Amino acid sequence: MAASRDHRVHFSLFFWVLTFSFSAGWFGGGENEQRKLSVELNPGLTPSAPPPPPGVALLHVRALGRNDTLHFLLCSQGAPALLLVHTDSASSAVQVDWPAFLARNTSGSLRVEPQSSVLFSSAVVFSRLWEYDDANDTADPQRLPPSGFFPPYELQNFTWSGLDNRTLDPAAPSARLCGGDGSPGFANGSFCLQVSFFASEGRGQDWPRLLHTANSSQIRVWLDGVPPRANRSRFSLELQAVGGAYPPDRVEVLRSIDDEYTPSIFKVSQWVSSPANSSSAAPGFVQWKPVAYRRPGPVLEDATPCRHSAPLPPRRAPPASGLLRAFYGPEPQTSALNVSFGLTGEPFYSSTRFLSWTFLVGVGSPPVDSFSPLVLSIMAVGLGTPMILLLLGGVCVCMRKRATPPAAYEPIN
């Protein structure tokens, strides 16, 4: 009996140690990297130099780590683009030859020095905004004939505003770009980007509440008040990715059982690169949850699913962005995909005349959502309660057996 009690005690201790270790592994999350952020508009442009044309600006956010530096460069020359350069030096710096940079025909007019410190670079370009007449409510632009599409909005032809010292917040670095092409369609509407930069790991305040790290930035894209060209219009956004020798070339879809932070969404999509030797170059990523919102203040009722096309194979192509031509050259390796908004049966764009979508751009491994404390608590109660009941039941049975004396034999007459 004593040996049996010892086994039960050991099993109980093992169970609680295992539960504590499991919970600590999820809650701990590993080391939270910290970076020091600094913001600079039009780096290296002296007051005596000619100013950039209206609507053209270059934002540089420097994220300094212990032994490395991330350089985020957001530019509104041509199609808006975000360039990310990762170096192994704490003193690397951005150098811009402004006359050549503004001419948009000179490669190498933007560099990160020393060039030998560059470990990895990648960029995302917003190249086109497609509008199509979804008369049959298929919500699949790949099944439409070319006649179903309206002429695309070429974002490289837009005039951009908002990237200036008045709109920058050094305490919580972010920048906003809004633009239009001067056509009647954009007379009362706009296409906007909100780019946020982070010093440490955290989570967005608004849905879809993406988990970010100090190695990533968040971009929120929205279309507001643009008159649709058909009663059943839907939109699709074309993204181009440039990544040096290894541009993003595949999309991974990860699944989860936890939707606490983004209700009703159990997936996350990652557009990642496939370097030949992952130990020699840190991969970059574009990460999002397949959901958009039809109103400025996201709520569950206004969520609408989105889908992505398969990435086109990397190819040499002239970039639509002056920033990428200046950094990568006239024909960098470029990949592209489309993100379309809405599914069959979902309201069309005309219902609210608003669409917003949020994603991350970063270097290294994409952030991974672990189970939230609420889900862990439910799991602990669901798994722990039956075990506790079994242990208590076993103890009660043993105590009852010990308290009951063995039955005595009655004499036989």
Side-chain angles (χ1 to χ4, degrees), residues 213 215 283 285 363-368:
T213 68
N215 296 331
F285 65 87
V363 65
S365 300
V368 178

Side-chain angles (χ1 to χ4, degrees), residues 25-297:
W26 284 107
F27 282 112
E31 185 178 358
N32 188 3
E33 185 173 4
Q34 300 281 334
R35 292 187 179 273
K36 182 180 179 180
L37 302 182
S38 60
V39 182
E40 185 180 13
L41 187 64
N42 298 328
L45 184 64
T46 61
S48 60
V56 174
L58 176 64
L59 175 68
H60 174 218
V61 176
R62 189 169 185 262
L64 179 63
R66 285 192 295 259
N67 301 304
D68 66 340
T69 305
L70 293 177
H71 297 276
F72 295 94
L73 293 148
L74 176 66
C75 186
S76 57
Q77 181 172 237
L82 179 67
L83 171 65
L84 169 58
V85 182
H86 183 207
T87 73
D88 62 2
S89 170
S91 59
S92 58
V94 172
Q95 303 290 334
V96 184
D97 180 349
W98 277 98
F101 180 76
L102 294 176
R104 293 186 62 176
N105 58 5
T106 305
S107 302
S109 56
L110 186 147
R111 305 181 307 276
V112 174
E113 299 286 354
Q115 296 188 28
S116 59
S117 67
V118 176
L119 298 173
F120 178 81
S121 66
S122 65
V124 174
V125 187
F126 300 86
S127 50
R128 289 187 183 92
L129 181 65
W130 296 92
E131 182 181 358
Y132 61 97
D133 185 3
D134 192 17
N136 295 324
D137 194 16
T138 63
D140 187 358
Q142 299 185 54
R143 294 168 55 186
L144 284 180
S147 59
F149 287 87
F150 296 102
Y153 293 106
E154 298 285 350
L155 300 183
Q156 62 180 323
N157 298 328
F158 277 31
T159 300
W160 301 96
S161 63
L163 198 57
D164 53 48
N165 285 316
R166 295 172 300 174
T167 60
L168 297 179
D169 182 5
S174 64
R176 176 180 295 187
L177 274 176
C178 289
D181 62 354
S183 66
F186 275 84
N188 298 315
S190 58
F191 176 81
C192 297
L193 316 172
Q194 178 82 29
V195 187
S196 303
F197 308 92
F198 311 104
S200 61
E201 182 178 299
R203 191 178 294 277
Q205 296 299 312
D206 297 325
W207 287 354
R209 300 200 63 193
L210 296 178
L211 176 66
H212 61 256
T213 68
N215 296 331
S216 63
S217 62
Q218 178 177 283
I219 303 179
R220 180 173 176 256
V221 185
W222 69 91
L223 188 66
D224 186 11
V226 177
R229 289 176 278 187
N231 292 331
R232 295 193 164 199
S233 280
R234 296 194 191 275
F235 282 88
S236 179
L237 178 63
E238 180 181 293
L239 298 178
Q240 293 182 355
V242 182
Y246 306 111
D249 58 2
R250 74 182 194 277
V251 176
E252 301 174 344
V253 178
L254 307 180
R255 301 178 185 274
S256 172
I257 64 171
D258 187 2
D259 72 335
E260 179 184 358
Y261 297 110
T262 312
S264 76
I265 305 300
F266 298 91
K267 297 179 183 178
V268 63
S269 300
Q270 300 175 166
W271 191 12
V272 294
S273 57
S274 304
N277 184 359
S278 59
S279 62
S280 64
F285 65 87
V286 178
Q287 185 187 71
W288 68 91
K289 290 192 175 182
V291 62
Y293 296 93
R294 294 189 298 269
R295 295 188 187 277

Side-chain angles (χ1 to χ4, degrees), residues 20-30 370:
F20 176 80
S21 302
F22 175 80
S23 301
W26 284 107
F27 282 112
S370 60

Side-chain angles (χ1 to χ4, degrees), residues 352-374:
T352 60
R353 293 195 178 186
F354 184 89
L355 269 176
S356 72
W357 177 59
T358 305
F359 64 97
L360 297 177
V361 177
V363 65
S365 300
V368 178
D369 258 323
S370 60
F371 289 116
S372 67
L374 176 62

